[in-house]
Amino acid sequence: MYKIAIVPGDGIGKEVMSATLEVLDGLNLDLKYEYGEAGDECFKKNGVALLDETINIIRNSDACLFGAAGETAADVIVKLRQIMNLFVNLRPIKSYPGTDSLFNDLDFIIVRENTEGMYVGKEEYIEEGAIAKRIITREASERICNFAFKYARDNNKKKVTAVHKANVLKKTDGLFKKVFYEVANEYPDIETEDYYVDATAMYFLTRPQSFDVIVTTNLFGDILSDEGAGLVGGLGLTPSGNIGKSNALFEPVHGSAPDIAGKCLANPTAMLLSAVMMLKYLNEQKSAKLLNDAIYNVLNEGKCLTPDMGANSSTMEMAKEIKNKLLEKS
Ligand code: NAI
Ligand code: MG
């Protein structure tokens, strides 16, 4: 039995979560759900966007599935990553069949540092305007670079690319780059390279196939992963995992999408692929493969898809079709 924390959040977060739980019901797994509140609605109801109770539910779970928060995202998801020390944000950029993808041959992953950098929330007003602190520590840089190299080794990836802006951010990114090459020495079997973030943004468009594993700091990782989502058919398709020493939280890269919320238009694929990542993390490899194959099957058939993918099924119709494929196989 696995204890799974379920935090649907706001807007389409709730819709893609119900769809995902409907599909997971088709797997032969003993999952015990504990629900936690967080986000804009939670704030309206309780005066705080993230309840202590929710934090405890996540802490005591084997893994957490998180939908999306709205305007309170910084007080919810960014805070959860920091207080639970979920130091890795894993964001695969993969071409899926039957999707309106700019590229159909991509399979790389962004390993984003998740606890510091530009997102430490240390901003203040000064007379002339406002300033933000960007914190890069040796410890967090070593930890994320080690994770990236280990990930490459364990997943048959050949190369790790560090992305930074060390020519301008000489001290902070200078340190990140230095640590990257120190860690690289321990993994002589893995190829290494490093690029400036602006050049990387262009290479994403001109030769994204050349990437295997990218390791980078918090803000750059955030921006590049949305750009990566754009390469493979949009935010409806890109999953992620926030992983720490003893906790993990899986969520779609997208937010609460107020423009389509409440209309049953949300693509459940990103949330479902996040559930696949969760099953892999729990070492339920067989269920992970079954679910992944069922999603691929439905994408490949191209019939029962949400409007962002050019068809006209609802969120739940697409989920039920994926569940049917699962049930056919098990
Ligand atoms: P967003 O990801 O919610 O939406 C961006 C665009 O992609 C919208 O046009 C939306 O309709 C579309 N989209 C996103 N997910 C989709 C899906 N599953 N199916 C079909 N279309 C989809 O980002 P946006 O608009 O910048 O932010 C909206 C709210 O979400 C804000 O309040 C923001 O703070 C929050 N947010 C929360 C995040 C989180 O909880 N992890 C991450 C990003 C934003
Ligand atoms: Mg983002």
Side-chain angles (χ1 to χ4, degrees):
M1 193 269 286
Y2 295 104
K3 260 202 255 176
I4 308 296
I6 303 291
V7 185
D10 299 311
I12 67 163
K14 291 188 285 187
E15 299 167 47
V16 294
M17 185 67 82
S18 322
T20 298
L21 297 186
E22 171 68 26
V23 178
L24 288 178
D25 179 58
L27 284 169
N28 191 15
L29 280 177
D30 188 6
L31 305 176
K32 181 167 174 276
Y33 299 139
E34 294 197 45
Y35 289 81
E37 285 179 67
D40 298 0
E41 281 186 24
C42 174
F43 181 77
K44 264 193 212 132
K45 193 171 138 201
N46 307 297
V48 282
L50 181 61
L51 297 177
D52 286 343
E53 188 194 318
T54 304
I55 299 172
N56 285 334
I57 290 172
I58 301 174
R59 253 194 230 291
N60 295 324
S61 68
D62 294 302
C64 171
L65 284 176
F66 180 91
E71 285 306 297
T72 52
D75 299 324
V76 178
I77 187 67
V78 178
K79 192 167 167 201
L80 275 172
R81 290 168 183 157
Q82 285 164 358
I83 58 180
M84 310 202 84
N85 211 2
L86 304 173
F87 65 91
V88 186
N89 197 329
L90 262 189
R91 298 187 156 186
I93 306 296
K94 216 169 163 176
S95 308
Y96 301 102
T99 58
D100 191 13
S101 184
L102 289 176
F103 295 90
N104 57 18
D105 53 354
L106 300 189
D107 185 5
F108 66 92
I109 191 154
I110 299 176
V111 179
R112 160 184 169 194
E113 204 293 321
N114 219 14
T115 59
E116 57 177 35
M118 212 63 204
Y119 286 4
V120 285
K122 293 200 189 304
E123 286 192 300
E124 59 183 291
Y125 290 111
I126 54 169
E127 215 176 301
E128 299 84 349
I131 52 171
K133 280 198 179 129
R134 178 174 194 265
I135 296 183
I136 302 291
T137 63
R138 167 170 277 277
E139 189 192 353
S141 303
E142 268 174 16
R143 193 170 58 177
I144 198 71
C145 290
N146 259 309
F147 187 97
F149 278 101
K150 200 167 172 309
Y151 183 93
R153 197 178 262 174
D154 294 347
N155 291 275
N156 233 343
K157 302 274 187 190
K158 296 187 171 46
K159 182 172 72 177
V160 181
T161 308
V163 175
H164 58 81
K165 188 72 183 173
N167 52 342
V168 177
L169 302 167
K170 292 197 171 77
K171 291 183 179 152
T172 49
D173 270 3
L175 175 63
F176 185 77
K177 182 178 165 185
K178 182 164 177 275
V179 168
F180 170 75
Y181 281 108
E182 283 170 17
V183 173
N185 281 336
E186 293 162 37
Y187 298 85
D189 48 319
I190 310 285
E191 232 182 280
T192 52
E193 65 185 9
D194 72 278
Y195 293 125
Y196 297 129
V197 64
D198 41 357
T200 308
M202 184 193 68
Y203 298 147
F204 263 40
L205 299 174
T206 54
R207 53 171 176 85
Q209 300 84 354
S210 70
F211 294 110
D212 230 359
V213 175
I214 289 176
V215 64
T216 188
T217 52
N218 208 339
L219 171 67
F220 296 160
D222 192 10
I223 298 171
L224 288 176
S225 50
D226 275 29
E227 190 186 358
L231 298 176
V232 294
L235 284 167
L237 292 167
T238 29
S240 76
N242 299 267
I243 300 167
K245 276 221 159 62
S246 46
N247 285 108
L249 179 154
F250 298 86
E251 52 158 348
V253 171
H254 66 71
S256 62
D259 54 338
I260 57 165
K263 298 181 184 156
C264 308
L265 297 173
N267 187 341
T269 307
M271 182 84 241
L272 280 161
L273 289 169
S274 305
V276 171
M277 290 179 81
M278 177 184 82
L279 294 171
K280 284 186 185 159
Y281 168 83
L282 294 171
N283 213 13
E284 288 292 339
Q285 304 299 347
K286 192 170 156 239
S287 295
K289 185 171 182 325
L290 274 172
L291 177 55
N292 198 55
D293 289 353
I295 299 167
Y296 265 60
N297 236 317
V298 169
L299 293 177
N300 210 10
E301 280 181 6
K303 288 188 295 220
C304 199
L305 307 175
T306 46
D308 59 307
M309 297 186 71
N312 52 18
S313 298
S314 72
T315 308
M316 203 42 108
E317 280 165 355
M318 184 171 170
K320 289 214 161 119
E321 183 65 15
I322 294 172
K323 186 178 184 183
N324 286 339
K325 299 279 186 244
L326 259 186
L327 296 174
E328 278 167 22
K329 285 274 151 58
S330 48

